[in-house]
């Protein structure tokens, strides 16, 4: 039996994530240049934007299914939807951890948490993490499925590596704004980011399953 109070709380969080993130991304095209960005299209080269958009889409999908669940139209949320929210949650948690444990020391936390970046780097990721782990106790995740959370990091990493290292800023690529190629050691960053992403996958997977099983014991 589902806990409707938790689903209602998760629904509110998903609405906040979806509405605020959509508003911020739209604002990029109307004068909000923000952190390390000159225009709206520039924002899409940052993992921050991409991961938050992924989280926004996952939240919208969850909103639809949670409303149907609360109205009694469905008895459960499809497994694919739960896994989608898991992948999106891992992605924004990677964003959060990268900012808090690495980029903050380079650019300064005041800068990275200013303006709309406060939501994209901190609030949005935490809402996604809290809602998925503690409130959306709608089915366990298998260990092998936890590896799905690495996919966004791998895909973005391939693009970043191509634009920063293979093409390079001088040839029309990107500047190394994440400082992942300092000293030409991009290969270490690739290894570290994938290990970190895997650990975050396990962290989210373990805690989500813990709360699901605790809910089942009630």
């Amino acid at each position: 039996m589902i806990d409707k109070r938790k689903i209602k709380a998760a629904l509110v969080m998903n609405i906040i994530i979806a509405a605020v993130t959509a508003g911020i991304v739209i604002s990029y095209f109307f004068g909000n240049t923000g952190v390390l960005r000159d225009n709206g299209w520039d924002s899409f080269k940052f993992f921050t934007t991409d991961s938050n958009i992924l989280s926004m889409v996952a939240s919208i999908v969850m909103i639809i299914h949670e409303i149907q669940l609360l109205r009694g139209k469905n008895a459960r949320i499809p497994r694919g939807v739960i896994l989608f929210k898991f992948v999106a949650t891992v992605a924004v948690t990677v964003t959060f951890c990268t900012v808090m444990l690495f980029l903050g020391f380079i650019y300064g936390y005041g800068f990275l948490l200013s303006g709309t970046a406060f939501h994209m780097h901190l609030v949005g990721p935490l809402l996604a993490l809290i809602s998925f782990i503690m409130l959306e106790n709608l089915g366990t995740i298998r260990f092998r499925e936890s590896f799905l959370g690495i996919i966004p990091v791998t895909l973005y990493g391939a693009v970043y590596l191509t634009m920063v290292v293979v093409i390079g800023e001088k040839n029309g690529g990107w500047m190394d704004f994440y400082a992942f190629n300092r000293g030409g050691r991009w290969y270490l960053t690739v290894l570290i980011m994938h290990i970190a992403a895997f650990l975050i996958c396990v962290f989210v997977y373990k805690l989500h399953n813990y709360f699901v099983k605790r809910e089942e014991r009630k």
Side-chain angles (χ1 to χ4, degrees):
M1 185 175 180
I2 65 168
D3 187 333
K4 288 191 175 183
R5 292 174 302 176
K6 285 189 174 183
I7 299 302
K8 288 177 181 178
L11 178 61
V12 170
M13 290 187 180
N14 282 320
I15 291 172
I16 293 172
I17 291 170
V20 176
T21 303
I24 289 172
V25 173
I26 291 171
S27 78
Y28 293 156
F29 296 89
F30 293 92
N32 175 21
T33 54
V35 176
L36 300 176
R37 187 178 57 254
D38 295 323
N39 61 68
W41 294 110
D42 277 350
S43 67
F44 293 98
K45 67 185 180 184
F46 296 103
F47 188 76
T48 291
T49 304
D50 301 334
S51 63
N52 274 275
I53 288 176
L54 183 64
S55 181
M56 176 189 73
V57 175
S59 292
I60 292 171
V61 174
M62 269 293 191
I63 288 168
I64 294 170
H65 286 279
E66 286 170 348
I67 289 175
Q68 291 177 338
L69 199 65
L70 291 170
R71 288 181 174 177
K73 292 185 177 181
N74 286 331
R76 56 186 292 275
I77 290 181
R79 186 169 190 79
V81 174
I82 295 172
L83 290 176
F84 183 28
K85 181 66 184 290
F86 168 73
V87 171
T89 299
V90 169
V92 288
T93 303
V94 169
T95 292
F96 171 80
C97 291
T98 302
V99 169
M100 294 300 165
L101 301 177
F102 179 63
L103 295 178
F105 294 103
I106 297 175
Y107 294 109
Y109 292 101
F111 176 61
L112 292 178
L113 298 177
S114 62
T116 53
F118 184 70
H119 172 83
M120 303 293 269
H121 287 156
L122 181 64
V123 177
L126 288 180
L127 286 176
L129 193 61
I130 292 169
S131 64
F132 184 72
I133 286 176
M134 301 182 68
L135 303 174
E136 292 166 335
N137 312 134
L138 305 167
T140 57
I141 296 171
R142 302 183 185 96
F143 177 69
R144 64 177 180 272
E145 292 172 332
S146 69
F147 287 88
L148 292 171
I150 300 176
I151 293 175
V153 172
T154 300
L155 293 177
Y156 180 83
V159 174
Y160 190 85
L161 180 65
T162 300
M163 296 302 291
V164 173
V165 179
V166 178
I167 298 176
E169 185 179 4
K170 293 181 180 179
N171 298 313
W174 298 343
M175 66 173 287
D176 185 21
F177 44 81
Y178 284 140
F180 285 167
N181 191 39
R182 280 190 170 184
R185 297 177 180 176
W186 58 266
Y187 48 89
L188 288 178
T189 300
V190 170
L191 178 62
I192 292 169
M193 288 304 298
H194 277 80
I195 291 174
F198 171 69
L199 292 176
I200 290 171
C201 286
V202 173
F203 170 77
V204 176
Y205 143 78
K206 285 281 189 182
L207 283 181
H208 173 79
N209 283 359
Y210 167 78
F211 280 98
V212 170
K213 291 174 181 176
R214 193 177 77 166
E215 191 68 26
E216 290 173 349
R217 289 194 295 268
K218 288 184 179 180

